[in-house]
Amino acid sequence: MNLGSRSLLAGLALALAGLAPALAAPTVPAPRVAEHPASVAPRDGTDPRLTRDLFVRRTLAARAGAAFREIAREPQALWLTGGPEPTRHTREYVRRAEAADRTPMLVVYNIPGRDCGQFSAQPSPVSGAQYRAYVRAVAAGLTDSHPLVVLEPDALSFVGDTGCGGQGARLALLRDAVRVLGAAGAWVYVDAGNSGWQPPGRMARLLQRVDVAGARGFATNVAHTRAKVDELAYARAIAARLARRGISGVHAVIDVGRSGAGRAGPDPRDYCNPVAARLGEPPRTVFSGVVDALLWIKPPGESDGYCNGGPAAGEFFPSGACRLMGQSWAYYDDYRRVCVG
């Protein structure tokens, strides 16, 4: 759906006008979320990802002129989208995380036919051979690190969509990526769409075909806006169906960066820089049952493309960040200082 583009100032004006009712302070403000205490990697052979905090990357603060201090201090994933020197960029990022004794989060997002040719498609087509080489270049940068890697948002959910060309041997490419990235030490989470897209049974079959048994598990709701309660149920339903197929012990991570509006969130057709989306709860690891973590995989304020006032996909835009923060007490200081003035 092409909703057109607007200038940044126009997008900000519309965002603030629509959020005016959210400015009234409640009688009893919600408590602030405490900072996670520092953790030390264990010396007993336990995987350090089970005890470490998540790495906080500083690029959002830099891109936003350090204005959005509260959301910039939260852990957010680094997206690898096919740019030059993937090995160097990956290595530099994970080394900073390891030096800080934190767990880095990365997203590999460069599959042929990415985003079904929509706002986040590659500027030029990517072949299967190029993709395999790119995955290996990323894996070469993961040496001696302990990352979480979300693999190809939306890729499985678009499998079989007759309107999406150029996918190539997508299932084979994902299967290869699971193997290569896992061998490099990553906990790989294959993207599984969201609770409003593919039913759990179909998604479990697709995950089996890309060898999710060789990965840590799967991811849901990446860059989407479904309520956390629905995503938790979806993750458990997928895991249960995989178990029936003899694949047990899989884990899930859930993107809650845009889930704060709950079931009153955006219309499913409003998927690109959705105007009704709100920030979800702060990202953290939980390691509870099927779920490993609730994360901000899609960085708040990062554009999905030229829609609803956004710039090019991947660019930060203040009006988008302001929209997301409109009803979030945990980040109200940012909203009041930057978005209201």
Side-chain angles (χ1 to χ4, degrees):
M1 176 171 58
N2 186 354
L3 300 180
S5 62
R6 306 184 184 100
S7 68
L8 188 61
L9 289 177
L12 181 56
L14 286 173
L16 295 181
L19 294 174
L23 298 179
T27 304
V28 181
R32 297 299 300 270
V33 178
E35 296 284 344
H36 296 292
S39 59
V40 178
R43 302 180 184 278
D44 59 1
T46 303
D47 193 295
R49 284 166 284 211
L50 295 171
T51 56
R52 281 177 169 176
D53 291 331
L54 298 167
F55 182 57
V56 177
R57 53 188 290 255
R58 301 297 181 185
T59 55
L60 176 61
R63 292 158 71 186
F68 294 92
R69 294 192 295 262
E70 292 178 317
I71 60 173
R73 75 184 181 195
E74 300 289 4
Q76 299 163 48
L78 173 70
W79 286 58
L80 301 170
T81 59
E85 300 187 80
T87 300
R88 180 177 66 83
H89 287 303
T90 302
R91 181 178 292 123
E92 289 175 354
Y93 173 69
V94 297
R95 282 181 174 174
R96 290 199 306 272
E98 291 293 325
D101 192 24
R102 298 291 186 267
T103 295
M105 297 184 290
L106 304 95
V107 179
V108 175
Y109 189 53
N110 195 35
I111 196 86
R114 186 177 74 192
D115 196 31
C116 195
Q118 300 179 91
F119 294 107
S120 293
Q122 291 105 333
S124 58
V126 174
S127 70
Q130 288 173 320
Y131 182 69
R132 290 174 186 267
Y134 185 78
V135 167
R136 282 158 175 76
V138 171
L142 296 177
T143 306
D144 300 323
S145 66
H146 300 84
L148 312 181
V149 176
V150 174
L151 183 61
E152 297 300 342
D154 297 344
L156 276 185
S157 296
F158 276 127
V159 166
D161 191 319
T162 57
C164 300
Q167 292 188 10
R170 175 163 289 192
L171 296 177
L173 291 175
L174 289 170
R175 206 162 41 241
D176 178 73
V178 166
R179 179 182 61 81
V180 170
L181 295 169
W187 276 3
V188 179
Y189 299 88
V190 184
D191 187 78
N194 64 68
S195 58
W197 198 341
Q198 300 291 350
R202 170 171 167 74
M203 185 51 65
R205 292 192 296 273
L206 289 169
L207 287 167
Q208 183 179 26
R209 293 180 66 185
V210 300
D211 194 23
V212 73
R216 175 71 178 181
F218 57 92
T220 81
N221 208 39
V222 176
H224 292 286
T225 60
R226 307 291 292 187
K228 183 182 77 170
V229 63
D230 293 330
E231 293 306 298
L232 289 170
Y234 183 58
R236 291 166 184 151
I238 291 174
R241 282 160 176 78
L242 286 170
R244 293 174 199 164
R245 293 172 167 269
I247 303 172
S248 58
V250 294
H251 300 266
V253 293
I254 297 172
D255 191 344
V256 295
R258 294 177 169 183
S259 64
R263 287 175 168 153
D267 184 295
R269 293 168 294 183
D270 185 20
Y271 65 91
C272 186
N273 298 324
V275 296
R278 297 293 179 266
L279 273 177
E281 59 194 79
R284 67 190 188 280
T285 56
V286 293
F287 297 111
S288 175
V290 171
V291 180
D292 276 354
L294 304 172
L295 303 174
W296 287 3
I297 299 172
K298 174 71 172 181
E302 190 173 277
S303 179
D304 296 326
Y306 293 110
C307 52
N308 282 342
E315 292 186 18
F316 182 85
F317 68 125
S319 61
C322 286
R323 278 202 302 250
L324 285 171
M325 290 191 297
Q327 295 174 351
S328 176
W329 275 110
Y331 308 99
Y332 185 72
D333 287 348
D334 263 1
Y335 180 75
R336 183 180 57 193
R337 186 186 69 256
V338 180
C339 305
V340 180

Short mmCIF file of all heavy atoms in Angstrom, two decimals, residues 1-4 115 117-121 271-272 304-307 312-313:
data_model
loop_
_atom_site.label_atom_id
_atom_site.label_comp_id
_atom_site.label_asym_id
_atom_site.label_seq_id
_atom_site.Cartn_x
_atom_site.Cartn_y
_atom_site.Cartn_z
N MET A 1 0.86 -1.19 0.00
CA MET A 1 0.00 0.00 0.00
C MET A 1 0.89 1.23 0.00
O MET A 1 1.70 1.44 0.89
CB MET A 1 -0.88 0.00 1.26
CG MET A 1 -1.75 1.23 1.40
SD MET A 1 -2.94 1.04 2.74
CE MET A 1 -1.86 0.74 4.11
N ASN A 2 0.76 2.07 -1.00
CA ASN A 2 1.58 3.27 -1.11
C ASN A 2 0.82 4.45 -0.52
O ASN A 2 -0.13 4.95 -1.09
CB ASN A 2 1.90 3.53 -2.59
CG ASN A 2 2.88 4.67 -2.74
OD1 ASN A 2 3.21 5.34 -1.76
ND2 ASN A 2 3.34 4.91 -3.95
N LEU A 3 1.24 4.86 0.66
CA LEU A 3 0.56 5.96 1.34
C LEU A 3 1.19 7.30 1.05
O LEU A 3 0.79 8.32 1.60
CB LEU A 3 0.56 5.70 2.85
CG LEU A 3 -0.14 4.41 3.28
CD1 LEU A 3 -0.07 4.26 4.78
CD2 LEU A 3 -1.58 4.40 2.81
N GLY A 4 2.22 7.29 0.20
CA GLY A 4 2.86 8.56 -0.15
C GLY A 4 3.88 8.98 0.88
O GLY A 4 4.09 8.35 1.90
N ASP A 115 11.48 -8.21 1.32
CA ASP A 115 10.30 -7.37 1.53
C ASP A 115 9.34 -7.41 0.35
O ASP A 115 8.57 -6.47 0.13
CB ASP A 115 10.71 -5.92 1.83
CG ASP A 115 9.58 -5.10 2.43
OD1 ASP A 115 8.74 -5.68 3.14
OD2 ASP A 115 9.52 -3.89 2.18
N GLY A 117 9.68 -6.89 -2.61
CA GLY A 117 9.84 -5.78 -3.53
C GLY A 117 9.23 -4.48 -3.08
O GLY A 117 9.10 -3.54 -3.88
N GLN A 118 8.88 -4.37 -1.80
CA GLN A 118 8.21 -3.17 -1.32
C GLN A 118 9.23 -2.14 -0.80
O GLN A 118 10.33 -2.03 -1.32
CB GLN A 118 7.20 -3.57 -0.24
CG GLN A 118 6.12 -4.53 -0.78
CD GLN A 118 5.12 -4.94 0.27
OE1 GLN A 118 4.08 -4.32 0.46
NE2 GLN A 118 5.45 -6.01 0.99
N PHE A 119 8.86 -1.39 0.25
CA PHE A 119 9.65 -0.25 0.69
C PHE A 119 11.08 -0.61 1.09
O PHE A 119 11.99 0.21 0.94
CB PHE A 119 8.96 0.44 1.86
CG PHE A 119 7.65 1.09 1.51
CD1 PHE A 119 6.46 0.54 1.92
CD2 PHE A 119 7.61 2.25 0.75
CE1 PHE A 119 5.24 1.12 1.60
CE2 PHE A 119 6.41 2.86 0.42
CZ PHE A 119 5.22 2.29 0.84
N SER A 120 11.29 -1.82 1.62
CA SER A 120 12.62 -2.20 2.11
C SER A 120 13.35 -3.14 1.18
O SER A 120 14.29 -3.83 1.58
CB SER A 120 12.50 -2.84 3.50
OG SER A 120 12.06 -1.89 4.45
N ALA A 121 12.92 -3.21 -0.08
CA ALA A 121 13.62 -4.06 -1.05
C ALA A 121 15.03 -3.53 -1.31
O ALA A 121 15.32 -2.35 -1.11
CB ALA A 121 12.84 -4.09 -2.36
N TYR A 271 0.88 -0.92 8.06
CA TYR A 271 2.07 -1.66 8.47
C TYR A 271 3.37 -0.89 8.27
O TYR A 271 4.40 -1.27 8.80
CB TYR A 271 2.15 -2.98 7.69
CG TYR A 271 2.35 -2.79 6.20
CD1 TYR A 271 3.63 -2.74 5.66
CD2 TYR A 271 1.27 -2.64 5.35
CE1 TYR A 271 3.82 -2.54 4.31
CE2 TYR A 271 1.45 -2.44 4.00
CZ TYR A 271 2.72 -2.39 3.48
OH TYR A 271 2.89 -2.19 2.14
N CYS A 272 3.34 0.18 7.50
CA CYS A 272 4.57 0.91 7.16
C CYS A 272 4.61 2.22 7.95
O CYS A 272 3.77 3.09 7.73
CB CYS A 272 4.61 1.17 5.66
SG CYS A 272 6.16 1.92 5.09
N ASP A 304 10.44 2.65 8.01
CA ASP A 304 10.16 1.49 7.16
C ASP A 304 10.22 1.85 5.68
O ASP A 304 10.23 0.97 4.83
CB ASP A 304 8.76 0.94 7.44
CG ASP A 304 8.61 0.42 8.85
OD1 ASP A 304 9.59 -0.12 9.39
OD2 ASP A 304 7.51 0.55 9.43
N GLY A 305 10.23 3.14 5.38
CA GLY A 305 10.24 3.58 3.99
C GLY A 305 9.44 4.85 3.82
O GLY A 305 9.00 5.48 4.79
N TYR A 306 9.23 5.23 2.58
CA TYR A 306 8.54 6.48 2.26
C TYR A 306 7.02 6.32 2.44
O TYR A 306 6.27 6.19 1.47
CB TYR A 306 8.86 6.92 0.83
CG TYR A 306 10.31 7.31 0.62
CD1 TYR A 306 11.15 6.50 -0.13
CD2 TYR A 306 10.83 8.47 1.18
CE1 TYR A 306 12.48 6.86 -0.34
CE2 TYR A 306 12.15 8.84 0.98
CZ TYR A 306 12.97 8.03 0.22
OH TYR A 306 14.28 8.38 0.03
N CYS A 307 6.59 6.34 3.67
CA CYS A 307 5.17 6.18 3.98
C CYS A 307 4.91 6.82 5.34
O CYS A 307 5.79 6.86 6.19
CB CYS A 307 4.79 4.70 4.01
SG CYS A 307 5.87 3.72 5.08
N ALA A 312 13.65 7.39 3.74
CA ALA A 312 14.04 6.09 3.19
C ALA A 312 14.15 5.05 4.29
O ALA A 312 14.46 5.37 5.46
CB ALA A 312 15.37 6.21 2.44
N ALA A 313 13.89 3.81 3.95
CA ALA A 313 13.95 2.72 4.92
C ALA A 313 15.31 2.69 5.62
O ALA A 313 16.35 2.81 4.98
CB ALA A 313 13.70 1.39 4.22
#
